[in-house]
Amino acid sequence: MVMRIQGLKYDENNWIHRQVRLAAITVVAIAAFVAAWHVASVLADTPTVPSPGRTLDALINFYSYGDWSSGTQRTMFELIGSSMITFAKGFALALVVAVPLGLALGYFKIAREFTNPIIEVLRPIAPIAWAPIFIIILGSATGAMLVVFIGIFFPLLTNVIFGVRKIEANLLDASKTLGASQFQVFYKVIMPYTAPYLMNGVKVGLGVGWMCIVAAEMCAGTLVGVGKYLYDMAYSGNWPKAYAALVLIGVLGLLTIGVSDYVHRWVSRRMGMDA
Amino acid sequence: MTEDQTAIDVSEKAFAETVDSGSPGDGAHIAIRGLRKVFKRDKKETVALDDFSLDIRRGELVTLVGPSGCGKTTILKLIAGLIEPTSGEVLIGGRPCLRPGPDRGMVFQDFALFHWRSVRKNVEFGLEVAGVPRGDRRAEAERYIKLVGLEKFIDSRVYELSGGMKQRVGIARSLVTHPDVLLMDEPFGSLDAQTRNIMQVQLLKVLDETDQTIVFVTHSVDEAVFLSDRIIVLTKRPARIKEVIEVPWPKPRDRAAPEFTALRKRILSELEAENVMEG
Ligand SMILES: Nc1ncnc2c1ncn2[C@@H]1O[C@H](COP(=O)(O)OP(=O)(O)OP(=O)(O)O)[C@@H](O)[C@H]1O
Ligand SMILES: [Mg+2]
């Protein structure tokens, strides 16, 4: 494809050219979306569909004055921080449980066969479906955290199991002929081999987990966070602020996935895969 | 010795002395006895080896040549203890070999390198698991990386290497622990002709300093004649010994010598007769 930027011919093999091209396309796409949204809000002409401009105002307002809805003032960053902490706890718990379990289930066939039916029944349940149960039994904070845990746990578990099972027999053979004990084979060969698969699980899990935290907060009575804020604003008919929260959630999710995607690629490269 | 194992003195004129081809029980380093290996999966059965016997002396370099798929890798893996024989046994120094161990190193046909480790760390692996201190480990690994000519790539990652370089990493990795027995599965198969010749000479140099026993698989008859104390010509699957050829000439050998080319020719025609290309 030939594109001219300031008299320059587009060169697919030039990194800067590729980045500029992608950035230009991205800006145009976002502008087109915002324009379409604006037109839709004008045509709809109802308070439930605020224009992008009013949404941006609400976002700036939220940023400047925080959230007053609960009676006490909370800054935007306190709400984000609160969501992030619940999110991080669920993530940490999922990591601590899913990684050893995945390694064990990948390694021991009988354990995998034994747990497989249970996992396959639990896995398709939407994580948010657990919210009412967890939140009612364990309270808002722990309940929401566990919803995030569920969301991250399964992608992590299945990816780790997959990684362990994919290991090439030859690598195991090679390490054995080099004198590695069973335990050394496990932690010097199987575990590093699995690392990129684990990171893929993390990447998928963080995306799912972020969806979970926002949804779980809505079911949680006493929790504060951006998801809860979105719910409160929509409930009280403050549509621009509800939409602003939606935009914020999207951007934060994008950042989360962006970071984990970067880490995933870094680990894969580091581990000599996918280079 | 089994019936189909015929020692042939190829050098009637130059080397008249009879050569001991290893008789059972007289302290052979590796004694392979009536080995049979059947790969079974549901109803599909592949007989890779059937009643295969061979004695290998300590310090000997024995080469297996034979048609593709005849069971050469299977023989090496059985000696390594990586797979179990269906029947028969492998004795190492008189003791049955049941599991892999650092006394038997192996160079894999498809390299089997740890792709998340650097060249250095791959070569160090055997020393690392044996608990050799870091400093000694590094020095030893460097020595063997130099030997295979990869010192410039010592900190490279495996994916940055060409096939031939990977193969040399695999060789260095197996040499560094000084195993008594070295099982080399087409170790020079991915190298260009020049590097291949250099590596052959290097290997002979290394072996000069040790009394390692080598079981070497190759598709290159030239290589077999250049390196071997004994060449075992195998039949199609299931591998049986078609012919055993003692090559008692001193090393390094002159590839242009008339007896060298004559022997090469003879083995080639043997193999061609065996191959009769299955389609
Ligand atoms: N794990 C296995 N399961 C089933 N069949 C196998 C297995 N390993 C080897 N075989 C079969 O056993 C036979 C011998 O295989 P082997 O790898 O020993 O041959 P080879 O002589 O090393 O061949 P090449 O020269 O191509 O490397 C082949 O027919 C192969 O398909
Ligand atoms: Mg083979």
Side-chain angles (χ1 to χ4, degrees):
Chain A
M1 175 181 161
V2 178
M3 243 170 71
R4 282 179 184 279
I5 303 164
Q6 297 175 344
L8 277 172
K9 193 166 179 230
Y10 174 70
D11 177 5
E12 176 67 36
N13 297 315
N14 185 317
W15 186 84
I16 295 175
H17 284 211
R18 288 201 307 273
Q19 298 309 309
V20 170
R21 174 178 181 271
L22 189 61
I25 292 176
T26 307
V27 167
V28 171
I30 292 172
F33 175 76
V34 172
W37 175 4
H38 184 83
V39 170
S41 73
V42 171
L43 293 179
D45 192 26
T46 145
T48 57
V49 187
S51 70
R54 292 201 54 203
T55 304
L56 184 63
D57 284 342
L59 190 60
I60 293 168
N61 184 279
F62 181 30
Y63 171 76
S64 311
Y65 303 106
D67 171 30
W68 281 96
S69 57
S70 59
T72 46
Q73 191 210 14
R74 288 200 177 84
T75 67
M76 185 176 91
F77 291 106
E78 276 178 74
L79 295 191
I80 293 173
S82 172
S83 294
M84 285 287 182
I85 285 169
T86 315
F87 181 60
K89 281 183 187 161
F91 174 59
L93 186 63
L95 214 52
V96 167
V97 180
V99 174
L101 188 62
L103 288 171
L105 295 186
Y107 195 70
F108 299 107
K109 188 167 181 237
I110 179 72
R112 187 166 63 243
E113 289 167 336
F114 190 79
T115 49
N116 196 50
I118 305 157
I119 291 174
E120 289 310 311
V121 168
L122 295 180
R123 201 160 66 105
I125 301 174
I128 195 61
W130 294 94
I133 296 168
F134 286 156
I135 287 168
I136 288 163
I137 298 174
L138 298 162
S140 293
T142 311
M145 186 274 280
L146 284 178
V147 172
V148 175
F149 164 78
I150 296 275
I152 300 177
F153 175 79
F154 285 107
L156 219 47
L157 184 74
T158 48
N159 273 279
V160 172
I161 294 175
F162 182 74
V164 176
R165 295 195 61 193
K166 263 208 81 176
I167 190 150
E168 295 134 58
N170 253 330
L171 295 181
L172 302 179
D173 283 354
S175 55
K176 284 182 208 155
T177 63
L178 289 162
S181 66
Q182 199 111 285
F183 181 62
Q184 285 169 325
V185 170
F186 192 78
Y187 85 96
K188 282 185 188 292
V189 181
I190 294 176
M191 282 177 50
Y193 186 91
T194 312
Y197 296 93
L198 165 66
M199 285 315 302
N200 190 53
V202 166
K203 192 172 82 177
V204 177
L206 288 183
V208 177
W210 184 244
M211 295 184 203
C212 291
I213 178 62
V214 171
E217 281 175 8
M218 296 182 187
C219 303
T222 62
L223 211 58
V224 290
V226 281
K228 182 78 173 135
Y229 177 78
L230 165 60
Y231 183 79
D232 289 343
M233 290 304 124
Y235 195 76
S236 60
N238 199 335
W239 297 106
K241 282 195 169 163
Y243 277 70
L246 213 49
V247 170
L248 188 62
I249 288 163
V251 171
L252 290 172
L254 183 70
L255 288 178
T256 315
I257 291 168
V259 169
S260 58
D261 188 42
Y262 181 84
V263 175
H264 172 237
R265 267 189 295 188
W266 186 84
V267 170
S268 297
R269 267 197 97 80
R270 177 70 190 63
M271 297 318 235
M273 284 182 173
D274 203 33
Chain B
M1 218 197 287
T2 51
E3 311 78 50
D4 52 357
Q5 190 175 332
T6 0
I8 291 175
D9 192 357
V10 291
S11 51
E12 293 103 332
K13 287 162 218 141
F15 299 89
E17 77 264 40
T18 39
V19 253
D20 173 26
S21 58
S23 43
D26 68 346
H29 191 189
I30 305 171
I32 302 171
R33 295 291 147 73
L35 216 50
R36 177 179 163 82
K37 180 67 190 176
V38 182
F39 291 106
K40 233 176 171 171
R41 181 92 207 180
D42 300 327
K43 283 201 178 120
K44 199 169 160 284
E45 272 194 11
T46 309
V47 183
L49 280 181
D50 195 12
D51 193 21
F52 184 88
S53 297
L54 178 69
D55 280 341
I56 299 169
R57 297 181 293 265
R58 180 171 293 277
E60 195 179 16
L61 196 160
V62 168
T63 306
L64 306 177
V65 294
S68 182
C70 75
K72 302 180 293 295
T73 299
T74 306
I75 295 171
L76 294 192
K77 284 192 172 168
L78 284 161
I79 300 173
L82 290 170
I83 52 178
E84 273 180 33
T86 308
S87 62
E89 60 178 353
V90 176
L91 303 171
I92 308 285
R95 289 219 299 266
C97 127
L98 303 169
R99 61 181 69 86
D103 59 319
R104 282 152 291 139
M106 183 150 174
V107 178
F108 291 81
Q109 194 169 2
D110 49 6
F111 325 137
L113 298 181
F114 306 122
H115 51 241
W116 56 93
R117 288 179 164 234
S118 64
V119 168
R120 180 201 295 281
K121 287 288 193 176
N122 263 280
V123 176
E124 279 184 17
F125 189 91
L127 303 171
E128 197 181 304
V129 295
V132 175
R134 197 181 149 81
D136 303 353
R137 215 155 77 195
R138 280 176 82 89
E140 271 299 277
E142 272 166 27
R143 196 178 135 220
Y144 282 93
I145 290 167
K146 271 208 189 88
L147 187 87
V148 297
L150 288 177
E151 59 272 31
K152 285 205 189 99
F153 298 90
I154 192 159
D155 290 312
S156 300
R157 310 221 135 256
V158 168
Y159 61 79
E160 296 169 317
L161 306 179
S162 71
M165 289 165 152
K166 286 182 190 159
Q167 199 154 41
R168 285 183 276 161
V169 177
I171 294 165
R173 184 178 67 177
S174 68
L175 287 172
V176 78
T177 51
H178 309 290
D180 271 0
V181 175
L182 203 47
L183 308 163
M184 306 184 87
D185 200 352
E186 298 187 36
F188 306 147
S190 312
L191 304 182
D192 60 279
Q194 285 87 334
T195 315
R196 191 171 187 142
N197 288 357
I198 294 169
M199 291 302 302
Q200 290 167 1
V201 174
Q202 292 284 57
L203 179 66
L204 290 180
K205 264 195 214 154
V206 175
L207 299 181
D208 228 21
E209 302 168 12
T210 66
D211 66 343
Q212 279 169 304
T213 305
I214 314 285
V215 187
F216 195 102
V217 169
T218 182
H219 276 128
S220 159
V221 174
D222 180 77
E223 183 165 274
V225 177
F226 186 77
L227 292 174
S228 312
D229 299 319
R230 206 150 44 120
I231 300 171
I232 317 289
V233 183
L234 300 171
T235 63
K236 286 189 292 215
R237 183 170 63 82
R240 288 170 158 274
I241 297 178
K242 186 179 169 75
E243 195 177 353
V244 177
I245 301 164
E246 295 276 351
V247 192
W249 311 327
K251 299 175 202 174
R253 293 168 183 161
D254 175 9
R255 291 177 214 263
E259 69 267 24
F260 191 105
T261 46
L263 178 55
R264 222 181 65 183
K265 245 193 193 148
R266 217 192 83 203
I267 298 172
L268 273 173
S269 60
E270 294 264 353
L271 283 174
E272 266 163 34
E274 193 54 43
N275 253 320
V276 196
M277 291 307 178
E278 306 119 20

